[in-house]
Structures are given as C-alpha cells and as structure tokens.
Amino acid sequence: MGGPKRSMNLRTNPPPIAFIDVAAQRRRLGPAIDAAVARVYSHCQFILGPEVRAFETELAMFCGARHVVTCASGTDALVLALRAMGVGQGDAVLCPSFTFCATAEVAALVGATPVFVDVDEMTFNIDAKGIAGAAAVAKDAGLKPKAIIPVDLFGLPADHGAVRAAAKAENLLVLDDAAQSFGAMYNNCRLGTFGHAAATSFFPAKPLGCYGDGGAVMTDDGGLADTIRSLRVHGHGSNKYDNIRIGLASRLDTIQAAILSEKLKIFPDEMEARDKIARRYSERLGDIVTTPIVPSGSTSVWAQYTIRVANGRRDAVATMLKAEGIPTAIYYPIPLHRQQAYKHYPVGKGGLPVSDRLASEVISLPMHAYLDTATQDRVIDAVRRALKT
Ligand SMILES: Cc1ncc(COP(=O)(O)O)c(C=O)c1O
C-alpha cells in the first residue's frame, strides 16, 4: 500500500457522512457527562435519585410548564398521560397517520381506538380542519371522541391555536406529542405548554437525547402530574406499598437524568446550530426542490430536515446519494392507516390523501448540530446533482 494509491482512493471515495452524529456531541461533552455519571455511581441512588428531580425542575424552567414528570420513554410518557386523563375503552383518540407509530399505538395500548386525521401539506402536521369530520366518524362508529394527539413532526410545532379551537368545539382533551420537537416554539412559547399535557422523548437521536431510553410529561395541571407520578411507580398512594391504582414501572434512570442535565446546558447552543444548518440547506436547495417551511411565530428544532421529491423520483435520488456516501432516511414510507397493525382503525372524512402523498415524496437529509459547512456542502452538491439527472 503506497502513499499515492491511498490518496487516490480518498479522492474517489470520500468518507461516508453521518446522518446524525451522536459521537460529535459526546466529544464535546464527554468529561462533564462522565463526571455527572460518576456522581451517581458514588451515591448509588439509581432509581429516582436526586438527579431525576433536579432535571425535572430544570426542564420545567426551560419550557415553562408548571410540572414535569419524567419516565422511561416517550411512548410511556404518552401512555401515562392518556391513563391519567382517563382515556380508555370506548374512547376515540384522534391523531395523524403520518407520524411514528407510537402516536397511535398508545391509544390502542390504553384500550381506546385511534382515529386518523389527515395532515397539512405545508407543515406535515395535523390539519385542524379535519378534526370535526374525524370526531363525526368516531361517533358514527359508536365511540366517544375523548382526546386528540397532535404531533409536532420533525421538530416543527403543530398549529396549536387551530387544534385548541377545534378540540374545544368537540370537547376533546389535547395531548401534544412533542417527542421530536422539545425546545421548539409556537407563538413564541416553548412546546410543553400547549394542550392539557405534552409528552416528549429522550431517545438518543432526538434533539435532546440521552444515552438510552427516556421521556417526560409536561403539564400545568398539578392533579394530572400527581396521578402520573403515581402511575409511573405501580400506582402508588401515600407510599410504595399503598397501591391505589394499576400503574407501571416507568422511571427515567438517575444516570440518564444526570446525562440530560449536562446536555440541557448546551441545548440552546445546539438548537441555534441546527437552525443555521437548516437555513443554509433551504437557501441552497430551495430553487430546485420543496424545502420545509416554518410558520411565523414558530421555531423548529429540526429533528429532521425533510425535502419533497415528487414524480416517483424520490427513491432514485436516495440511491444516487447513497452511492456518494450520503445517507438519507424516509420518515415515513407507509402512513399508519396503511400498516397491518393499524389499517382497521377509522380514518377521518375524505380519507388521508396528503398523508399518502407525503409518504411517497419525503426524504430527510443529514442533520445534527455538528454538521460542518464543508460536509453540508457535500450533501447539497450531491442533492443538486441527483435532482438534475
Ligand atoms: C412522534 C413520536 N412519538 C412518540 C415517540 C416515542 O418515543 P420513544 O421512542 O422514546 O418511546 C417517538 C419516537 O421516535 C416519536 O417520534
């Protein structure tokens, strides 16, 4: 293996790009996180140790919610909130179909029926105009429309003003699925403060992720927060051997809380970096492809940067990018109402044409706070080339 040969290889095969570079953040925060975890090792309170309560307080201050209750995952956060709201058998839970499966899964898990509502073509988030029609479909099916789960997809808040108005007209509880979007703002307020409760996820790939699974419920309702605190530890009452309701074991590990506290310190800086990267993508790709929009008054945390490639060319573009070492992802290739586990559930009036269209056109590009300009240029140039062929 001589020198010249190696450099030729490097020229023809540039190194693959990371889709989400979790290791880059680890390099920045490593010593602080190691020290925080070492503190937990020394006091050994691995379940609901002091770092959990401290992190809940920090999170509440950050997003402006009165109460934050952490738990074992974003999915559990949604389940705990639905259970605490009293949603169950015979109830309909309205939600989008163009989302991660957990949004609808939790409705079924608590014994209720998900009813799918179409999404808005521009924001990919639930179309509030479809809520009344979906509630009518639910009633026709003998269900009681009880709650709605709007999703803040890819980091962008749903239109919470419109959702609130439509939900009020139908007497629905609102549970915001902010799993992908913690930190984002709607009407200049952080998510976590919209709806009766909001749930988020700390899955490692999320904008605020931990080193495993984790989640949280945010709410201004003290009674709801108390019920969720009870539910996350087997439905305890005044002490853990006083069981007043059926619950589950769903705590955020103390080690994960310690890690998240360190990550929260740099989160504003990371959100700014992600936003700069997203703007740069849009500036340099907006002339040849449909790039994401952010309505005024909102910010996105860019869990994904997702463009739309129409006319059946999306998969060919993904293949061309892959050949250049550029990873892409399709979130979501099959909307939930077409999935085996969910296709028997009702859909709102008029069907879900936008969800179907988006599923065939969306493609997400590499996005993380540590994507440097040169690497991003490689992605941009490759996307432009692929779109022009
Ligand atoms: C929209 C949405 N809801 C819920 C969840 C569930 O979160 P978790 O994976 O932490 O259970 C996710 C996770 O990917 C998600 O994207």
Side-chain angles (χ1 to χ4, degrees), residues 291-374:
T291 52
I293 63 137
V294 179
S296 76
S298 290
T299 62
S300 174
V301 283
W302 302 105
Q304 305 299 335
Y305 183 88
T306 304
I307 58 174
R308 287 177 68 176
V309 180
N311 306 322
R313 295 188 55 231
R314 189 257 318 267
D315 294 350
V317 166
T319 306
M320 280 184 260
L321 293 174
K322 192 172 175 204
E324 297 204 34
I326 293 163
T328 56
I330 311 296
Y331 304 112
Y332 296 93
I334 308 175
L336 296 182
H337 68 288
R338 301 208 177 274
Q339 299 273 1
Q340 185 179 332
Y342 297 94
K343 63 184 174 200
H344 57 288
Y345 291 121
V347 302
K349 284 197 174 130
L352 309 175
V354 181
S355 303
D356 282 329
R357 194 155 52 243
L358 290 177
S360 70
E361 294 184 0
V362 290
I363 177 167
S364 302
L365 303 180
M367 165 54 81
H368 57 88
Y370 303 91
L371 186 64
D372 62 69
T373 303

Side-chain angles (χ1 to χ4, degrees), residues 73-75 78 99-100 102-103 151 177 179-180 201 203 206 213-214 332:
S73 70
T75 306
L78 291 164
T99 176
F100 183 62
T103 308
V151 178
D177 182 346
Q180 303 183 0
S201 162
F203 186 81
K206 298 288 190 252
D213 278 309
Y332 296 93

Side-chain angles (χ1 to χ4, degrees), residues 74-114:
T75 306
D76 277 6
L78 291 164
V79 168
L80 288 164
L82 286 178
R83 289 277 314 278
M85 288 170 165
V87 177
Q89 196 98 40
D91 294 334
V93 177
L94 279 50
C95 67
S97 165
F98 188 63
T99 176
F100 183 62
C101 62
T103 308
E105 186 179 40
V106 295
L109 275 173
V110 300
T113 302

